[in-house]
C-alpha cells in the first residue's frame, strides 16, 4: 500500500478458463472474487519542553506530551530519554494505550507527564544540555501488523555559569 492511500483498498481477482479445443465449444468459464482491506494511518507526535536555563546542581523539569495523530489506537512499546533512560515508570497509565485521534485537545488520544533531572558538574561545565525523548508504539495485536510507530523530540537547556567577584 502506498502512502496517501484512501480508507479502503479493494483487490479483485478474475479467472478465465476455456475448454480444450477438442470439445468444440466456445465456453468462457469465469469467476471472480474481491477482498477489501481497511487502510489504517497510524502516527504519533511527541513534544518535549523544559526549562530554558539551568546550572550545575539545578533541577530541570521536563514535560513530555504524546499525541496519537493517526486513525487507530496505539499500544506503548518503549519510551526512552537520552539522559534518563527508560521513562515508562514516569509516564502515567494513559500513555500505555492511546485512542485514535479525535481531533480535539486532550482526551484518551494523548498523555502528558513531567520528570526532572539534576544537572551534574560534567553537564554544567558545558554551554547547553540537549536530550531527546523517543516513543515507540505498536498497533494493537488484533491488527496482526508489525508496524513501529515512533517519534522523537529534543529539548535544549542553556547552561549558565554565574559568578561574582568581591574585592
Amino acid at each position: 500500500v502506498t502512502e496517501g492511500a484512501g480508507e479502503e483498498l479493494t483487490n479483485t481477482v478474475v479467472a478465465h478458463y476455456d475448454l480444450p479445443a477438442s470439445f468444440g465449444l466456445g465456453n468462457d468459464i469465469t469467476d471472480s472474487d474481491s477482498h477489501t482491506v481497511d487502510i489504517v494511518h497510524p502516527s504519533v507526535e511527541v513534544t518535549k519542553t523544559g526549562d530554558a536555563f539551568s546550572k550545575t546542581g539545578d533541577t530541570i523539569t521536563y514535560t513530555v506530551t504524546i499525541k496519537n495523530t493517526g486513525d487507530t489506537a496505539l499500544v506503548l512499546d518503549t519510551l526512552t530519554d537520552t539522559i534518563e533512560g527508560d521513562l515508562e515508570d514516569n509516564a502515567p497509565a494513559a500513555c500505555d494505550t492511546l485512542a485514535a485521534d479525535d481531533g480535539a485537545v486532550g482526551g484518551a488520544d494523548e498523555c502528558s507527564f513531567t520528570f526532572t533531572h539534576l544537572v551534574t558538574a560534567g553537564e554544567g561545565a558545558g554551554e547547553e544540555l540537549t536530550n531527546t525523548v523517543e516513543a515507540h508504539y505498536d498497533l494493537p495485536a488484533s491488527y496482526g501488523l508489525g508496524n513501529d510507530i515512533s517519534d522523537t523530540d529534543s529539548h535544549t537547556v542553556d547552561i549558565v555559569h554565574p559568578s561574582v567577584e568581591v574585592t
Side-chain angles (χ1 to χ4, degrees), residues 43 67-74 94 97-102 107-110:
S43 65
K67 168 98 172 132
N68 182 349
T69 55
D71 60 3
T72 186
L74 299 174
T97 301
L98 299 176
D101 184 11
D102 63 7
D109 60 350
E110 68 181 71

Side-chain angles (χ1 to χ4, degrees), residues 62-119:
Y62 294 103
T63 300
V64 175
T65 301
I66 306 169
K67 168 98 172 132
N68 182 349
T69 55
D71 60 3
T72 186
L74 299 174
V75 178
L76 182 63
D77 182 19
T78 60
L79 181 59
T80 57
D81 182 85
T82 54
I83 293 177
E84 294 299 310
D86 185 353
L87 291 179
E88 290 181 48
D89 289 340
N90 299 78
C95 292
D96 292 345
T97 301
L98 299 176
D101 184 11
D102 63 7
V105 175
D109 60 350
E110 68 181 71
C111 67
S112 187
F113 63 96
T114 61
F115 68 95
T116 59
H117 174 73
L118 181 66
V119 179

Side-chain angles (χ1 to χ4, degrees), residues 15-50:
H16 290 273
Y17 287 95
D18 293 323
L19 293 171
S22 63
F23 284 93
L25 302 171
N27 295 21
D28 181 23
I29 304 163
T30 305
D31 194 16
S32 64
D33 195 18
S34 297
H35 181 75
T36 300
V37 175
D38 291 327
I39 304 297
V40 294
H41 306 89
S43 65
V44 66
E45 181 178 284
V46 176
T47 305
K48 183 177 189 175
T49 59

Side-chain angles (χ1 to χ4, degrees), residues 54-59 118-126 158-162:
S54 193
K55 64 182 180 358
T56 299
D58 280 356
T59 298
L118 181 66
V119 179
T120 66
E123 294 165 342
D158 289 330
I159 302 296
V160 295
H161 305 96

